[in-house]
Amino acid sequence: MGTFILPYTIEAHEQEYSFYYGTRADEYRSLAEKVDGRILSTDVAGGFVGACLGMYASSNGGG
């Protein structure tokens, strides 16, 4: 099984996040835009969140 590279990017504008992916590093498609990120704030969560944004993928044991 070969390796598959999926370029992605996350943009943050104040409290909103937008997520993009592509099959090439210079062509991205929207996955989700203007996602409300206030739940990650200290005020809403009630303390330090330490959020780390990224993507996770799994073949779920399939090969």
Side-chain angles (χ1 to χ4, degrees):
M1 174 171 249
T3 301
F4 180 76
I5 297 173
L6 179 68
Y8 73 94
T9 187
I10 302 169
E11 294 180 358
H13 298 282
E14 297 191 12
Q15 301 250 346
E16 292 181 333
Y17 295 92
S18 296
F19 302 85
Y20 303 92
Y21 72 95
T23 54
R24 294 178 19 184
D26 61 344
E27 290 184 11
Y28 288 97
R29 294 182 182 196
S30 172
L31 181 62
E33 293 183 318
K34 297 184 178 180
V35 176
D36 186 359
R38 287 180 291 176
I39 190 70
L40 302 175
S41 73
T42 301
D43 293 337
V44 174
F48 178 69
V49 181
C52 191
L53 300 176
M55 291 191 177
Y56 173 82
S58 172
S59 65
N60 201 20

